[in-house]
Amino acid sequence: MKEYINIALPKGRLGEKVYGMLESAGYECPSIREENRKLIFENEEKGVRYFWVKPSDVAIYVERGAADIGIAGKDILAEYSPDVFELLDLKTGVCRMAVAAKKDFRDDRERPLRVATKFTNCATRFYASKGREIDIIHLNGSIELAPILGLSDVIVDIVETGKTLRENDLCVVETLFPISARLIANKSSFRFKSGEIETLVSSLGKVIEAKEETK
Ligand code: PRP
């Protein structure tokens, strides 16, 4: 009997784009395109079952084996360090993790730097590597507000087009690392469904290469 590959897709624009790539790679599941609120879709013939998952939860589903593979941003992987295999860079969802501040920001090294972020582990590691003492302020969203209201000196956040920063009179101070979507796999699924997963990775790899060539 053919084994299903269970795939956690990040809900939203990135997930839809990645589903399109999986479709091109031969893993289509037409019911997923229907307008409804279902969260699980399968195509028995292709042996795939897709789940729509909150983007920041994809790595948890994969780490714990509820999904065999999934698509997660490098930001989430860097922040939570899930125990999974990273198999492929999908070269989409490209952005960067950066430090940003008000345009007139000057670092006063006499006191800890107040850093507001959703990515506390990334920020803590980054400043520890520079030997800079910080006061970390964990926020859940609208991080750009923090320096404007004087809650923090800087933010560590995702910058894609830079529009959010520009429209709030903030600018990038430095970049921590580049981000893109990655295909991740559960470690034991990778062993027990190696044939199925490797075939998918190779077909998806070809779709990514073809897309890169037309860029
Ligand atoms: C992210 C990030 C920035 C914005 C950057 O927010 O936190 O606010 O995108 O994109 P830009 O450089 O293209 O303007 P997201 O939309 O994920 O929502 P959030 O406020 O919940 O973080």
Side-chain angles (χ1 to χ4, degrees), residues 119-169:
F119 301 93
T120 49
N121 294 326
C122 292
T124 304
R125 265 201 311 268
F126 176 68
Y127 285 106
S129 75
K130 291 160 74 88
R132 179 71 173 100
E133 196 191 338
I134 62 167
D135 172 13
I136 199 103
I137 303 163
H138 182 263
L139 295 178
N140 296 298
S142 299
I143 318 293
E144 292 83 1
L145 268 178
I148 299 170
L149 300 181
L151 176 63
S152 75
D153 301 308
V154 299
I155 60 173
V156 168
D157 201 13
I158 292 167
V159 178
E160 190 182 348
T161 60
K163 193 163 185 268
T164 312
L165 292 182
R166 266 195 310 280
E167 294 192 354
N168 289 289
D169 289 319

mmCIF file of all heavy atoms in Angstrom, residues 119-169:
data_model
loop_
_atom_site.group_PDB
_atom_site.id
_atom_site.type_symbol
_atom_site.label_atom_id
_atom_site.label_comp_id
_atom_site.label_asym_id
_atom_site.label_seq_id
_atom_site.Cartn_x
_atom_site.Cartn_y
_atom_site.Cartn_z
ATOM 1 N N PHE A 119 11.064 37.910 18.050
ATOM 2 C CA PHE A 119 12.109 36.882 17.888
ATOM 3 C C PHE A 119 13.159 37.043 18.985
ATOM 4 O O PHE A 119 14.295 37.457 18.717
ATOM 5 C CB PHE A 119 12.722 36.996 16.493
ATOM 6 C CG PHE A 119 11.710 36.813 15.401
ATOM 7 C CD1 PHE A 119 11.062 37.915 14.831
ATOM 8 C CD2 PHE A 119 11.364 35.539 14.958
ATOM 9 C CE1 PHE A 119 10.107 37.750 13.839
ATOM 10 C CE2 PHE A 119 10.409 35.364 13.964
ATOM 11 C CZ PHE A 119 9.781 36.470 13.404
ATOM 12 N N THR A 120 12.779 36.711 20.216
ATOM 13 C CA THR A 120 13.675 36.974 21.345
ATOM 14 C C THR A 120 14.947 36.122 21.292
ATOM 15 O O THR A 120 16.017 36.607 21.665
ATOM 16 C CB THR A 120 12.950 36.764 22.697
ATOM 17 O OG1 THR A 120 12.298 35.510 22.659
ATOM 18 C CG2 THR A 120 11.916 37.829 22.962
ATOM 19 N N ASN A 121 14.846 34.883 20.837
ATOM 20 C CA ASN A 121 16.061 34.043 20.788
ATOM 21 C C ASN A 121 17.044 34.569 19.740
ATOM 22 O O ASN A 121 18.244 34.646 19.999
ATOM 23 C CB ASN A 121 15.707 32.578 20.473
ATOM 24 C CG ASN A 121 14.915 31.951 21.600
ATOM 25 O OD1 ASN A 121 15.120 32.275 22.771
ATOM 26 N ND2 ASN A 121 13.990 31.065 21.263
ATOM 27 N N CYS A 122 16.518 34.937 18.575
ATOM 28 C CA CYS A 122 17.399 35.472 17.521
ATOM 29 C C CYS A 122 18.088 36.753 18.006
ATOM 30 O O CYS A 122 19.294 36.928 17.816
ATOM 31 C CB CYS A 122 16.600 35.796 16.257
ATOM 32 S SG CYS A 122 15.953 34.356 15.410
ATOM 33 N N ALA A 123 17.311 37.634 18.624
ATOM 34 C CA ALA A 123 17.862 38.919 19.077
ATOM 35 C C ALA A 123 18.884 38.693 20.193
ATOM 36 O O ALA A 123 19.973 39.292 20.176
ATOM 37 C CB ALA A 123 16.728 39.829 19.558
ATOM 38 N N THR A 124 18.555 37.814 21.137
ATOM 39 C CA THR A 124 19.460 37.567 22.261
ATOM 40 C C THR A 124 20.790 36.994 21.756
ATOM 41 O O THR A 124 21.861 37.439 22.163
ATOM 42 C CB THR A 124 18.796 36.593 23.272
ATOM 43 O OG1 THR A 124 17.549 37.162 23.664
ATOM 44 C CG2 THR A 124 19.657 36.366 24.490
ATOM 45 N N ARG A 125 20.705 36.026 20.831
ATOM 46 C CA ARG A 125 21.929 35.417 20.272
ATOM 47 C C ARG A 125 22.771 36.458 19.536
ATOM 48 O O ARG A 125 23.987 36.520 19.698
ATOM 49 C CB ARG A 125 21.546 34.325 19.273
ATOM 50 C CG ARG A 125 21.505 32.928 19.845
ATOM 51 C CD ARG A 125 21.633 31.864 18.765
ATOM 52 N NE ARG A 125 20.763 32.045 17.626
ATOM 53 C CZ ARG A 125 19.540 31.513 17.513
ATOM 54 N NH1 ARG A 125 19.045 30.783 18.488
ATOM 55 N NH2 ARG A 125 18.815 31.716 16.433
ATOM 56 N N PHE A 126 22.090 37.290 18.767
ATOM 57 C CA PHE A 126 22.800 38.290 17.954
ATOM 58 C C PHE A 126 23.578 39.264 18.840
ATOM 59 O O PHE A 126 24.769 39.504 18.622
ATOM 60 C CB PHE A 126 21.783 39.045 17.085
ATOM 61 C CG PHE A 126 22.367 40.149 16.277
ATOM 62 C CD1 PHE A 126 23.240 39.867 15.231
ATOM 63 C CD2 PHE A 126 22.049 41.476 16.546
ATOM 64 C CE1 PHE A 126 23.784 40.895 14.473
ATOM 65 C CE2 PHE A 126 22.592 42.508 15.787
ATOM 66 C CZ PHE A 126 23.458 42.217 14.753
ATOM 67 N N TYR A 127 22.915 39.805 19.859
ATOM 68 C CA TYR A 127 23.611 40.781 20.703
ATOM 69 C C TYR A 127 24.639 40.122 21.615
ATOM 70 O O TYR A 127 25.658 40.728 21.957
ATOM 71 C CB TYR A 127 22.602 41.638 21.477
ATOM 72 C CG TYR A 127 21.959 42.663 20.573
ATOM 73 C CD1 TYR A 127 20.652 42.517 20.138
ATOM 74 C CD2 TYR A 127 22.698 43.749 20.110
ATOM 75 C CE1 TYR A 127 20.075 43.443 19.271
ATOM 76 C CE2 TYR A 127 22.138 44.676 19.244
ATOM 77 C CZ TYR A 127 20.827 44.517 18.832
ATOM 78 O OH TYR A 127 20.286 45.443 17.972
ATOM 79 N N ALA A 128 24.393 38.852 22.000
ATOM 80 C CA ALA A 128 25.381 38.137 22.823
ATOM 81 C C ALA A 128 26.668 37.966 22.016
ATOM 82 O O ALA A 128 27.772 38.126 22.537
ATOM 83 C CB ALA A 128 24.838 36.786 23.255
ATOM 84 N N SER A 129 26.517 37.695 20.708
ATOM 85 C CA SER A 129 27.710 37.491 19.867
ATOM 86 C C SER A 129 28.503 38.791 19.721
ATOM 87 O O SER A 129 29.685 38.770 19.415
ATOM 88 C CB SER A 129 27.318 36.949 18.492
ATOM 89 O OG SER A 129 26.749 37.993 17.717
ATOM 90 N N LYS A 130 27.844 39.919 19.933
ATOM 91 C CA LYS A 130 28.535 41.211 19.842
ATOM 92 C C LYS A 130 28.971 41.700 21.221
ATOM 93 O O LYS A 130 29.563 42.770 21.336
ATOM 94 C CB LYS A 130 27.583 42.261 19.248
ATOM 95 C CG LYS A 130 27.265 42.038 17.783
ATOM 96 C CD LYS A 130 25.998 42.759 17.375
ATOM 97 C CE LYS A 130 26.150 44.252 17.240
ATOM 98 N NZ LYS A 130 26.589 44.646 15.877
ATOM 99 N N GLY A 131 28.582 40.953 22.249
ATOM 100 C CA GLY A 131 28.924 41.356 23.609
ATOM 101 C C GLY A 131 28.173 42.596 24.062
ATOM 102 O O GLY A 131 28.626 43.340 24.933
ATOM 103 N N ARG A 132 27.016 42.838 23.476
ATOM 104 C CA ARG A 132 26.213 44.023 23.836
ATOM 105 C C ARG A 132 25.107 43.607 24.799
ATOM 106 O O ARG A 132 24.310 42.712 24.482
ATOM 107 C CB ARG A 132 25.621 44.642 22.559
ATOM 108 C CG ARG A 132 24.755 45.868 22.773
ATOM 109 C CD ARG A 132 25.602 47.052 23.170
ATOM 110 N NE ARG A 132 24.829 48.302 23.222
ATOM 111 C CZ ARG A 132 24.377 48.843 24.358
ATOM 112 N NH1 ARG A 132 24.558 48.245 25.507
ATOM 113 N NH2 ARG A 132 23.723 50.001 24.305
ATOM 114 N N GLU A 133 25.054 44.259 25.942
ATOM 115 C CA GLU A 133 24.022 43.945 26.925
ATOM 116 C C GLU A 133 22.679 44.515 26.466
ATOM 117 O O GLU A 133 22.614 45.677 26.020
ATOM 118 C CB GLU A 133 24.424 44.571 28.268
ATOM 119 C CG GLU A 133 23.649 43.997 29.439
ATOM 120 C CD GLU A 133 23.862 44.797 30.729
ATOM 121 O OE1 GLU A 133 24.893 45.507 30.835
ATOM 122 O OE2 GLU A 133 22.986 44.723 31.606
ATOM 123 N N ILE A 134 21.629 43.711 26.574
ATOM 124 C CA ILE A 134 20.312 44.202 26.133
ATOM 125 C C ILE A 134 19.233 43.966 27.182
ATOM 126 O O ILE A 134 19.374 43.127 28.070
ATOM 127 C CB ILE A 134 19.863 43.553 24.786
ATOM 128 C CG1 ILE A 134 19.698 42.026 24.921
ATOM 129 C CG2 ILE A 134 20.804 43.900 23.664
ATOM 130 C CD1 ILE A 134 18.964 41.399 23.741
ATOM 131 N N ASP A 135 18.154 44.706 27.008
ATOM 132 C CA ASP A 135 16.949 44.518 27.817
ATOM 133 C C ASP A 135 15.901 44.113 26.778
ATOM 134 O O ASP A 135 15.504 44.921 25.934
ATOM 135 C CB ASP A 135 16.609 45.862 28.476
ATOM 136 C CG ASP A 135 15.268 45.853 29.183
ATOM 137 O OD1 ASP A 135 14.717 44.753 29.378
ATOM 138 O OD2 ASP A 135 14.781 46.956 29.534
ATOM 139 N N ILE A 136 15.515 42.827 26.804
ATOM 140 C CA ILE A 136 14.646 42.334 25.737
ATOM 141 C C ILE A 136 13.176 42.560 26.107
ATOM 142 O O ILE A 136 12.766 42.321 27.233
ATOM 143 C CB ILE A 136 14.962 40.843 25.432
ATOM 144 C CG1 ILE A 136 14.436 40.432 24.072
ATOM 145 C CG2 ILE A 136 14.446 39.904 26.494
ATOM 146 C CD1 ILE A 136 15.461 40.332 23.028
ATOM 147 N N ILE A 137 12.410 43.039 25.129
ATOM 148 C CA ILE A 137 10.981 43.298 25.346
ATOM 149 C C ILE A 137 10.213 42.454 24.338
ATOM 150 O O ILE A 137 10.281 42.717 23.133
ATOM 151 C CB ILE A 137 10.668 44.800 25.142
ATOM 152 C CG1 ILE A 137 11.528 45.647 26.091
ATOM 153 C CG2 ILE A 137 9.177 45.086 25.333
ATOM 154 C CD1 ILE A 137 11.606 47.114 25.713
ATOM 155 N N HIS A 138 9.531 41.431 24.819
ATOM 156 C CA HIS A 138 8.828 40.547 23.895
ATOM 157 C C HIS A 138 7.474 41.120 23.516
ATOM 158 O O HIS A 138 6.639 41.387 24.373
ATOM 159 C CB HIS A 138 8.653 39.145 24.499
ATOM 160 C CG HIS A 138 7.973 38.215 23.546
ATOM 161 N ND1 HIS A 138 6.632 37.966 23.592
ATOM 162 C CD2 HIS A 138 8.454 37.531 22.480
ATOM 163 C CE1 HIS A 138 6.323 37.146 22.590
ATOM 164 N NE2 HIS A 138 7.408 36.871 21.911
ATOM 165 N N LEU A 139 7.256 41.311 22.201
ATOM 166 C CA LEU A 139 5.955 41.771 21.698
ATOM 167 C C LEU A 139 5.422 40.736 20.721
ATOM 168 O O LEU A 139 6.177 39.920 20.197
ATOM 169 C CB LEU A 139 6.102 43.121 20.985
ATOM 170 C CG LEU A 139 6.529 44.327 21.826
ATOM 171 C CD1 LEU A 139 6.674 45.556 20.937
ATOM 172 C CD2 LEU A 139 5.545 44.614 22.960
ATOM 173 N N ASN A 140 4.133 40.798 20.443
ATOM 174 C CA ASN A 140 3.521 39.811 19.547
ATOM 175 C C ASN A 140 3.213 40.321 18.154
ATOM 176 O O ASN A 140 2.862 39.545 17.270
ATOM 177 C CB ASN A 140 2.249 39.253 20.184
ATOM 178 C CG ASN A 140 2.564 38.486 21.448
ATOM 179 O OD1 ASN A 140 3.276 37.487 21.405
ATOM 180 N ND2 ASN A 140 2.093 38.964 22.579
ATOM 181 N N GLY A 141 3.310 41.615 17.924
ATOM 182 C CA GLY A 141 3.025 42.162 16.597
ATOM 183 C C GLY A 141 3.145 43.677 16.633
ATOM 184 O O GLY A 141 3.417 44.265 17.690
ATOM 185 N N SER A 142 2.966 44.319 15.469
ATOM 186 C CA SER A 142 3.118 45.779 15.351
ATOM 187 C C SER A 142 4.365 46.257 16.090
ATOM 188 O O SER A 142 4.335 47.261 16.808
ATOM 189 C CB SER A 142 1.886 46.506 15.895
ATOM 190 O OG SER A 142 0.754 46.132 15.157
ATOM 191 N N ILE A 143 5.465 45.543 15.885
ATOM 192 C CA ILE A 143 6.719 45.801 16.602
ATOM 193 C C ILE A 143 7.214 47.233 16.338
ATOM 194 O O ILE A 143 7.834 47.858 17.191
ATOM 195 C CB ILE A 143 7.819 44.795 16.151
ATOM 196 C CG1 ILE A 143 7.266 43.366 16.001
ATOM 197 C CG2 ILE A 143 9.022 44.819 17.080
ATOM 198 C CD1 ILE A 143 6.837 42.694 17.246
ATOM 199 N N GLU A 144 6.912 47.734 15.117
ATOM 200 C CA GLU A 144 7.417 49.063 14.708
ATOM 201 C C GLU A 144 6.971 50.172 15.642
ATOM 202 O O GLU A 144 7.582 51.243 15.679
ATOM 203 C CB GLU A 144 6.962 49.380 13.275
ATOM 204 C CG GLU A 144 7.603 48.504 12.199
ATOM 205 C CD GLU A 144 6.922 47.150 12.014
ATOM 206 O OE1 GLU A 144 5.920 46.874 12.708
ATOM 207 O OE2 GLU A 144 7.425 46.366 11.185
ATOM 208 N N LEU A 145 5.885 49.934 16.374
ATOM 209 C CA LEU A 145 5.397 50.967 17.294
ATOM 210 C C LEU A 145 6.377 51.229 18.432
ATOM 211 O O LEU A 145 6.435 52.356 18.961
ATOM 212 C CB LEU A 145 4.073 50.506 17.922
ATOM 213 C CG LEU A 145 2.779 50.894 17.247
ATOM 214 C CD1 LEU A 145 1.611 50.280 18.009
ATOM 215 C CD2 LEU A 145 2.637 52.419 17.195
ATOM 216 N N ALA A 146 7.111 50.204 18.848
ATOM 217 C CA ALA A 146 7.912 50.296 20.066
ATOM 218 C C ALA A 146 8.916 51.459 20.080
ATOM 219 O O ALA A 146 8.895 52.256 21.033
ATOM 220 C CB ALA A 146 8.589 48.960 20.352
ATOM 221 N N PRO A 147 9.764 51.615 19.057
ATOM 222 C CA PRO A 147 10.696 52.753 19.119
ATOM 223 C C PRO A 147 9.993 54.099 18.949
ATOM 224 O O PRO A 147 10.441 55.110 19.500
ATOM 225 C CB PRO A 147 11.668 52.498 17.961
ATOM 226 C CG PRO A 147 11.058 51.443 17.123
ATOM 227 C CD PRO A 147 10.035 50.733 17.911
ATOM 228 N N ILE A 148 8.886 54.097 18.216
ATOM 229 C CA ILE A 148 8.162 55.357 18.002
ATOM 230 C C ILE A 148 7.599 55.855 19.330
ATOM 231 O O ILE A 148 7.647 57.041 19.648
ATOM 232 C CB ILE A 148 7.027 55.162 16.968
ATOM 233 C CG1 ILE A 148 7.610 54.729 15.620
ATOM 234 C CG2 ILE A 148 6.190 56.430 16.812
ATOM 235 C CD1 ILE A 148 6.560 54.279 14.615
ATOM 236 N N LEU A 149 7.096 54.958 20.140
ATOM 237 C CA LEU A 149 6.496 55.352 21.416
ATOM 238 C C LEU A 149 7.496 55.374 22.567
ATOM 239 O O LEU A 149 7.129 55.601 23.707
ATOM 240 C CB LEU A 149 5.327 54.412 21.757
ATOM 241 C CG LEU A 149 4.189 54.396 20.742
ATOM 242 C CD1 LEU A 149 3.083 53.462 21.189
ATOM 243 C CD2 LEU A 149 3.629 55.800 20.526
ATOM 244 N N GLY A 150 8.760 55.085 22.266
ATOM 245 C CA GLY A 150 9.785 55.121 23.320
ATOM 246 C C GLY A 150 9.805 53.880 24.202
ATOM 247 O O GLY A 150 10.431 53.869 25.256
ATOM 248 N N LEU A 151 9.103 52.835 23.750
ATOM 249 C CA LEU A 151 9.114 51.587 24.522
ATOM 250 C C LEU A 151 10.460 50.880 24.365
ATOM 251 O O LEU A 151 10.906 50.186 25.269
ATOM 252 C CB LEU A 151 7.971 50.693 24.016
ATOM 253 C CG LEU A 151 7.825 49.295 24.591
ATOM 254 C CD1 LEU A 151 7.538 49.352 26.090
ATOM 255 C CD2 LEU A 151 6.693 48.533 23.888
ATOM 256 N N SER A 152 11.093 51.051 23.200
ATOM 257 C CA SER A 152 12.402 50.418 22.981
ATOM 258 C C SER A 152 13.303 51.357 22.193
ATOM 259 O O SER A 152 12.834 52.349 21.623
ATOM 260 C CB SER A 152 12.223 49.105 22.208
ATOM 261 O OG SER A 152 11.938 49.362 20.848
ATOM 262 N N ASP A 153 14.619 51.021 22.165
ATOM 263 C CA ASP A 153 15.563 51.794 21.353
ATOM 264 C C ASP A 153 15.554 51.278 19.922
ATOM 265 O O ASP A 153 15.628 52.054 18.973
ATOM 266 C CB ASP A 153 16.988 51.636 21.921
ATOM 267 C CG ASP A 153 17.079 52.105 23.355
ATOM 268 O OD1 ASP A 153 16.655 53.250 23.620
ATOM 269 O OD2 ASP A 153 17.513 51.317 24.215
ATOM 270 N N VAL A 154 15.502 49.948 19.787
ATOM 271 C CA VAL A 154 15.522 49.329 18.459
ATOM 272 C C VAL A 154 14.498 48.193 18.425
ATOM 273 O O VAL A 154 13.964 47.801 19.461
ATOM 274 C CB VAL A 154 16.920 48.743 18.107
ATOM 275 C CG1 VAL A 154 17.987 49.803 18.090
ATOM 276 C CG2 VAL A 154 17.296 47.619 19.067
ATOM 277 N N ILE A 155 14.285 47.668 17.207
ATOM 278 C CA ILE A 155 13.475 46.453 17.069
ATOM 279 C C ILE A 155 14.296 45.434 16.284
ATOM 280 O O ILE A 155 15.199 45.815 15.521
ATOM 281 C CB ILE A 155 12.122 46.702 16.343
ATOM 282 C CG1 ILE A 155 12.345 47.237 14.918
ATOM 283 C CG2 ILE A 155 11.258 47.670 17.146
ATOM 284 C CD1 ILE A 155 11.058 47.352 14.083
ATOM 285 N N VAL A 156 13.986 44.170 16.482
ATOM 286 C CA VAL A 156 14.526 43.124 15.618
ATOM 287 C C VAL A 156 13.299 42.505 14.981
ATOM 288 O O VAL A 156 12.423 41.980 15.677
ATOM 289 C CB VAL A 156 15.345 42.080 16.411
ATOM 290 C CG1 VAL A 156 15.636 40.860 15.544
ATOM 291 C CG2 VAL A 156 16.647 42.693 16.897
ATOM 292 N N ASP A 157 13.193 42.622 13.655
ATOM 293 C CA ASP A 157 11.975 42.180 12.995
ATOM 294 C C ASP A 157 12.265 41.811 11.535
ATOM 295 O O ASP A 157 13.364 42.047 11.022
ATOM 296 C CB ASP A 157 10.921 43.291 13.060
ATOM 297 C CG ASP A 157 9.501 42.762 12.863
ATOM 298 O OD1 ASP A 157 9.295 41.536 12.918
ATOM 299 O OD2 ASP A 157 8.591 43.585 12.634
ATOM 300 N N ILE A 158 11.223 41.292 10.904
ATOM 301 C CA ILE A 158 11.338 40.919 9.504
ATOM 302 C C ILE A 158 11.144 42.145 8.619
ATOM 303 O O ILE A 158 10.207 42.910 8.829
ATOM 304 C CB ILE A 158 10.272 39.860 9.178
ATOM 305 C CG1 ILE A 158 10.609 38.559 9.900
ATOM 306 C CG2 ILE A 158 10.139 39.633 7.686
ATOM 307 C CD1 ILE A 158 9.487 37.568 9.900
ATOM 308 N N VAL A 159 12.043 42.293 7.651
ATOM 309 C CA VAL A 159 11.886 43.362 6.666
ATOM 310 C C VAL A 159 11.782 42.697 5.306
ATOM 311 O O VAL A 159 12.647 41.902 4.934
ATOM 312 C CB VAL A 159 13.097 44.330 6.686
ATOM 313 C CG1 VAL A 159 12.928 45.402 5.619
ATOM 314 C CG2 VAL A 159 13.265 44.957 8.059
ATOM 315 N N GLU A 160 10.693 43.021 4.607
ATOM 316 C CA GLU A 160 10.552 42.425 3.280
ATOM 317 C C GLU A 160 10.796 43.517 2.247
ATOM 318 O O GLU A 160 11.874 43.653 1.702
ATOM 319 C CB GLU A 160 9.169 41.783 3.140
ATOM 320 C CG GLU A 160 9.066 40.932 1.876
ATOM 321 C CD GLU A 160 7.689 40.335 1.685
ATOM 322 O OE1 GLU A 160 6.860 40.373 2.617
ATOM 323 O OE2 GLU A 160 7.431 39.838 0.572
ATOM 324 N N THR A 161 9.800 44.374 2.025
ATOM 325 C CA THR A 161 9.990 45.466 1.056
ATOM 326 C C THR A 161 10.577 46.710 1.733
ATOM 327 O O THR A 161 11.068 47.606 1.051
ATOM 328 C CB THR A 161 8.631 45.858 0.450
ATOM 329 O OG1 THR A 161 7.785 46.276 1.530
ATOM 330 C CG2 THR A 161 7.989 44.701 -0.274
ATOM 331 N N GLY A 162 10.455 46.789 3.049
ATOM 332 C CA GLY A 162 10.919 47.965 3.780
ATOM 333 C C GLY A 162 9.839 49.030 3.904
ATOM 334 O O GLY A 162 10.040 50.094 4.500
ATOM 335 N N LYS A 163 8.654 48.737 3.334
ATOM 336 C CA LYS A 163 7.565 49.718 3.308
ATOM 337 C C LYS A 163 7.084 50.081 4.725
ATOM 338 O O LYS A 163 6.883 51.251 5.033
ATOM 339 C CB LYS A 163 6.409 49.131 2.484
ATOM 340 C CG LYS A 163 5.334 50.104 2.091
ATOM 341 C CD LYS A 163 4.486 49.528 0.950
ATOM 342 C CE LYS A 163 3.482 50.551 0.453
ATOM 343 N NZ LYS A 163 2.188 50.486 1.099
ATOM 344 N N THR A 164 6.925 49.059 5.572
ATOM 345 C CA THR A 164 6.436 49.314 6.929
ATOM 346 C C THR A 164 7.402 50.240 7.668
ATOM 347 O O THR A 164 6.977 51.175 8.356
ATOM 348 C CB THR A 164 6.263 47.992 7.715
ATOM 349 O OG1 THR A 164 5.546 47.077 6.900
ATOM 350 C CG2 THR A 164 5.516 48.203 9.014
ATOM 351 N N LEU A 165 8.704 49.994 7.518
ATOM 352 C CA LEU A 165 9.688 50.846 8.190
ATOM 353 C C LEU A 165 9.604 52.268 7.638
ATOM 354 O O LEU A 165 9.510 53.236 8.400
ATOM 355 C CB LEU A 165 11.109 50.303 7.992
ATOM 356 C CG LEU A 165 11.439 48.970 8.670
ATOM 357 C CD1 LEU A 165 12.896 48.599 8.404
ATOM 358 C CD2 LEU A 165 11.193 49.032 10.177
ATOM 359 N N ARG A 166 9.620 52.382 6.310
ATOM 360 C CA ARG A 166 9.587 53.713 5.673
ATOM 361 C C ARG A 166 8.384 54.513 6.116
ATOM 362 O O ARG A 166 8.492 55.671 6.484
ATOM 363 C CB ARG A 166 9.548 53.560 4.146
ATOM 364 C CG ARG A 166 10.904 53.601 3.494
ATOM 365 C CD ARG A 166 10.817 53.820 1.990
ATOM 366 N NE ARG A 166 9.908 52.932 1.293
ATOM 367 C CZ ARG A 166 10.205 51.677 0.946
ATOM 368 N NH1 ARG A 166 11.389 51.163 1.213
ATOM 369 N NH2 ARG A 166 9.319 50.926 0.306
ATOM 370 N N GLU A 167 7.225 53.854 6.117
ATOM 371 C CA GLU A 167 5.996 54.589 6.447
ATOM 372 C C GLU A 167 5.922 54.957 7.918
ATOM 373 O O GLU A 167 5.052 55.719 8.330
ATOM 374 C CB GLU A 167 4.776 53.777 5.998
ATOM 375 C CG GLU A 167 4.761 53.682 4.476
ATOM 376 C CD GLU A 167 3.471 53.166 3.897
ATOM 377 O OE1 GLU A 167 2.587 52.756 4.665
ATOM 378 O OE2 GLU A 167 3.370 53.169 2.654
ATOM 379 N N ASN A 168 6.817 54.403 8.719
ATOM 380 C CA ASN A 168 6.832 54.741 10.144
ATOM 381 C C ASN A 168 8.121 55.454 10.533
ATOM 382 O O ASN A 168 8.477 55.513 11.716
ATOM 383 C CB ASN A 168 6.626 53.473 10.985
ATOM 384 C CG ASN A 168 5.188 52.974 10.853
ATOM 385 O OD1 ASN A 168 4.266 53.599 11.366
ATOM 386 N ND2 ASN A 168 5.007 51.881 10.123
ATOM 387 N N ASP A 169 8.819 56.008 9.519
ATOM 388 C CA ASP A 169 10.051 56.760 9.744
ATOM 389 C C ASP A 169 11.122 55.998 10.504
ATOM 390 O O ASP A 169 11.820 56.568 11.344
ATOM 391 C CB ASP A 169 9.741 58.084 10.482
ATOM 392 C CG ASP A 169 9.025 59.048 9.564
ATOM 393 O OD1 ASP A 169 9.422 59.118 8.381
ATOM 394 O OD2 ASP A 169 8.060 59.689 10.021
#
